[in-house]
Amino acid sequence: LGMQRIVRGWGCNACRHVSKTAHIQAITDWFMLVSETMTNRDCREFLHIPNNYTASRLLGDLPLEQDGVNKARLYRFPLERMK
């Protein structure tokens, strides 16, 4: 199920669709359904990404609020975007 990380994007094994932005909707779904915060580890487990640097880049490129540094960093979805 879901899409697999490929070079510079995401690919669906079932229909062969490729998307560069599939992670954005998945991360948004996390904030709406699972928790109001996300860590790098949560992101890696949720998106099935083995590399913590890749998860950091994906999270850092989104307009998320960041609290903390290094291992203690939490990402929050801005509440004004939910309205």
Side-chain angles (χ1 to χ4, degrees):
L1 294 176
M3 299 182 92
Q4 298 295 317
R5 182 83 173 136
I6 59 174
V7 177
R8 295 187 178 139
W10 299 89
C12 177
N13 289 333
C15 69
R16 303 290 183 218
H17 175 74
V18 175
S19 172
K20 291 186 181 224
T21 60
H23 65 284
I24 296 172
Q25 185 60 50
I27 291 172
T28 302
D29 290 347
W30 167 276
F31 287 114
M32 301 233 184
L33 300 172
V34 179
S35 176
E36 64 182 33
T37 61
M38 179 182 260
T39 63
N40 184 294
R41 176 176 280 176
D42 293 333
C43 181
R44 284 181 287 145
E45 290 174 359
F46 189 62
L47 297 178
H48 303 284
I49 301 171
N51 190 320
N52 64 347
Y53 177 72
T54 301
S56 272
R57 242 184 31 251
L58 292 175
L59 290 167
D61 289 345
L62 297 175
L64 301 174
E65 297 171 357
Q66 299 179 21
D67 293 326
V69 293
N70 300 329
K71 284 188 171 186
R73 180 167 293 161
L74 290 174
Y75 298 88
R76 295 187 196 306
F77 197 77
L79 293 177
E80 61 272 1
R81 293 196 62 199
M82 295 181 114
K83 295 178 181 178

